[in-house]
Each structure stands twice: as C-alpha cells, then as structure tokens.
Amino acid sequence: MDFGIFTFGELSRNIDTGGALSPRQRLQEIIELAKLADQAGLSFLGLGEHHRRDFALSAPEIVLAAIARETTNLRLSTAVTVLSTQDPVRLFEQFATLDLISDGRAEIIAGRGAFIESYPLFGHSTEDYDGLFDEKLRMLLELRDNAVLDWRGTLTQSIPGMDIAPRPAQEKLPVWVGVGGTPASFVRAGRLGLPLFIALLSGPQRFRRLAELYRQSAADAGHDAGALPVGVGGHFYAAPTSQQARDTFYPHYRAYFEQNMPRPVDHFPRATFDDWSEPGGGLLVGSPQQVTEKLLEIHETLGNSRYMAQIGLGGLPFAETARSIELLATEIMPAVNRETGASD
C-alpha cells in the first residue's frame, strides 16, 4: 500500500495561549514536514485549498513547487483542488509546470469542496455546484489528453483549437476524484475510469457499498475496475501508547472542530472523540498497533491501495506531528504492508 500525508494548513489558535501561527510560519512548517516525510520513505504529499483567514493554503500549487525542490520521491498533489471554482486551463498549466519542476511527480485530486467560500470569491454560484464540477472535470481531462484543444463550453469558456502548453513530464498527468459520501460522485468517477480518493471521516463500513458502486460503474463503462486505484484518507495521530495519543491529540482535535470546520461547532466532547477512536470508527488515533489494525480493516472493507493521513490538526505542535509521521513511516506502514502483502 502507498502511504502519505496531507494537510489543509489550518491556522488554529493555540489551546493555551490563544495565539496562532502566522501564514509564513505555517508554510515553513509544512515544507519541513514534507522533507521529513520524504526522508522517512512516505510516497505522497497532498495540500488542501481553502480561502479563509484561518487557513494558510489558498495557492497549494505554489507551495508544492517549493516542496518539489526540497524533496526527491514524494508524489505532489492537491487534496483537494476545488475544481468547480478553478479555471481548468490555468490549473492544468500550473500542474504541468509543477510536473516539469518535480521530474514527473505531480498529481491532481479534484473535488467539489465542502468549504464553499471560493464560489462567491471567484464569481460562481452554488446553484451550479454539481454542474460546474462535472463540466470542468471533463474539460480538465480533455486538456490532459490533447496538446491542441477544441472545446465548446456551457459553464466554461470555449476554446477554438488552441495550444495547451507546457506539456507535463508524465505522459498522462494523474487526475483523481475526491469524494465524500454522495453516491453520484462515486458513479461519476467510476464512469470516467478515474482513481478515487475517499475522505474517510467515519468508519469504513459506511463506504463499502459506495466503493462497490464505484467499481461497478467503472466496469459498466468498460474500464478495468480492478486496476483503478482507490485511496482513503482521514484524521490521524499516532503516539507510543493509545492513552498518550488520545490525551495529547484530543485538545487539538477539539480546537479543529471548534475553529476550522466548514461549520464550526460550539463544543466537541471527549466522549465523541473516544467513540470515533474505537475499532470501527473513522478516527485513526492510537498506538501504532491500534492504527495498523484500523488500516487493515479499512483495506479489507474498501480494497484501497493508498492511505493518506491528515496530519497536524488543531495547532498540534510541530514535534508531535513529526513524531506521528515517523511512527507512520517506520512502524505502521511496514506492518500494514506485511499483512496486506501476505493476504494479497
């Protein structure tokens, strides 16, 4: 299984002082964590896209380009690009450029976005929420597959046989579809034969039928469903013991829910946190052994070939995040791959 990390670059207020990192500090921290992940042997880094003052990542492509010069092996991607409010031409140009800078390590994970502030910011209506994504995804795939593009748009611009340049280093720039829990999104990704990234914010059993729907839709459209990659990702923190992991992470996780969610909550209780951390829950917080067991359950349920850990939530200190990444790379990843390799 492929393992990696991702972050939204949130600027949560410190649980003790009430202060937050500046965007500059947070971006420097993200670059350092990327270098650590690369050195530790992880294979993927994703950066989210948000347009609010409590996030540092409104232009992830630029940060990924900086990281490209500091790393060697990491696949570099958004997690996710809010494609509905992007210009697909500009997006493709940026990622083709990133691919050239990184010697062929760029990917795009495209989604509709749970955060909707980019819609009015860039002159779009949420009434076109699904229509924008559908048309722009089809346009992005045409841009990827054609160096000269003829395109007649409805919600997008029309392009009368114009050059699409530069072309990436990879023959075909990987485009994944990021999904939450909407069945139509799974069907669309399968019909187009695109890799799937599932935001796993609850237990994997909820997504079993949706993953089956994705693969069936792919097969019905003539694609080799068994060859399509499926990635899952969710909130993650590992420490040497379960109690240490929960006690350390809970205050920060609570801060994330109370400050940085699309609709922040007034209070996130410890009982809910503990329940989500139990076997079958979607929150991967615990000792390496406990996290490994959860990842094996996810793999058995969904058949995923990639896991992406969302790290550093709620102002978690750099040292704690770095230690969690090290445990993912040195203990959890090898244990999961031993088990899945034996079963496969």
Side-chain angles (χ1 to χ4, degrees):
M1 193 185 299
D2 204 14
F3 279 81
I5 59 172
F6 72 103
T7 179
F8 295 162
E10 63 278 352
L11 300 168
S12 304
R13 296 185 300 276
N14 185 280
I15 57 176
D16 296 318
T17 68
L21 293 178
S22 69
R24 177 181 176 275
Q25 290 171 318
R26 188 71 165 110
L27 293 174
Q28 287 299 126
E29 182 178 272
I30 289 169
I31 293 171
E32 291 302 315
L33 291 171
K35 291 164 61 177
L36 174 65
D38 191 53
Q39 293 162 6
L42 298 179
S43 58
F44 175 88
L45 171 79
L47 301 182
E49 176 199 341
H50 295 85
H51 301 270
R52 297 187 345 190
R53 68 177 65 187
D54 55 329
F55 292 91
L57 288 169
S58 63
E61 303 87 354
I62 293 176
V63 185
L64 289 169
I67 290 171
R69 307 307 298 169
E70 300 286 342
T71 58
T72 304
N73 298 308
L74 286 177
R75 303 289 299 176
L76 303 171
S77 179
T78 45
V80 301
T81 289
V82 185
L83 182 58
S84 304
T85 57
Q86 290 263 12
D87 179 340
V89 177
R90 194 68 179 128
L91 179 71
F92 181 83
E93 290 174 342
Q94 289 168 338
F95 271 86
T97 303
L98 173 64
D99 203 52
L100 294 170
I101 292 171
S102 66
D103 295 325
R105 292 186 282 137
E107 299 183 2
I108 298 172
I109 302 178
R112 296 184 299 177
F115 293 70
I116 60 172
E117 72 279 352
S118 63
Y119 286 79
L121 188 63
F122 296 113
H124 298 287
S125 171
T126 53
E127 293 181 1
D128 297 321
Y129 185 76
D130 191 65
L132 280 166
F133 181 74
D134 186 72
E135 182 170 333
K136 290 189 176 187
L137 179 59
R138 289 186 287 108
M139 186 181 187
L140 178 62
L141 297 178
E142 289 292 319
L143 290 159
R144 181 185 69 172
D145 296 341
N146 297 281
V148 176
L149 183 64
D150 278 298
W151 175 263
R152 182 171 296 278
T154 301
L155 296 171
T156 62
Q157 70 271 39
S158 295
I159 300 175
M162 299 182 70
D163 291 341
I164 306 300
R167 304 307 295 175
Q170 298 176 86
E171 182 177 350
K172 183 171 283 193
L173 189 69
V175 175
W176 296 58
V177 176
V179 297
T182 306
S185 297
F186 287 79
V187 170
R188 173 165 43 216
R191 188 179 67 246
L192 293 172
L194 296 175
L196 186 74
F197 167 57
I198 303 171
L200 200 68
L201 300 182
S202 60
Q205 290 298 333
R206 178 195 168 200
F207 294 90
R208 180 194 290 272
R209 179 69 190 97
L210 293 170
E212 292 171 353
L213 182 62
Y214 162 71
R215 292 188 173 100
Q216 185 61 55
S217 300
D220 290 346
H223 304 293
D224 182 357
L228 291 176
V230 173
V232 303
H235 301 158
F236 170 91
Y237 177 69
T241 70
S242 172
Q243 196 63 48
Q244 183 179 356
R246 292 192 186 193
D247 290 346
T248 298
F249 192 53
Y250 167 68
H252 301 283
Y253 201 59
R254 173 181 171 180
Y256 179 74
F257 267 78
E258 294 176 1
Q259 297 177 38
N260 306 116
M261 292 294 283
R263 296 180 181 86
V265 301
D266 292 332
H267 175 65
F268 184 77
R270 175 66 186 256
T272 301
F273 171 83
D274 286 333
D275 182 57
W276 290 0
S277 301
E278 291 295 321
L283 181 55
L284 270 68
V285 172
S287 67
Q289 180 178 349
Q290 289 173 315
V291 172
T292 296
E293 290 169 356
K294 278 198 164 185
L295 286 169
L296 291 172
E297 178 193 5
I298 291 169
H299 177 70
E300 182 178 356
T301 305
L302 302 177
N304 58 299
S305 55
R306 174 182 282 183
Y307 177 73
M308 297 178 274
Q310 188 173 353
I311 48 91
L313 292 162
L316 187 72
F318 179 89
E320 294 292 344
T321 304
R323 180 176 65 170
S324 185
I325 291 172
E326 289 280 7
L327 289 173
L328 176 64
T330 61
E331 297 191 31
I332 296 167
M333 180 173 68
V336 169
N337 281 335
R338 281 196 300 270
E339 292 296 325
T340 56
S343 63
D344 292 345

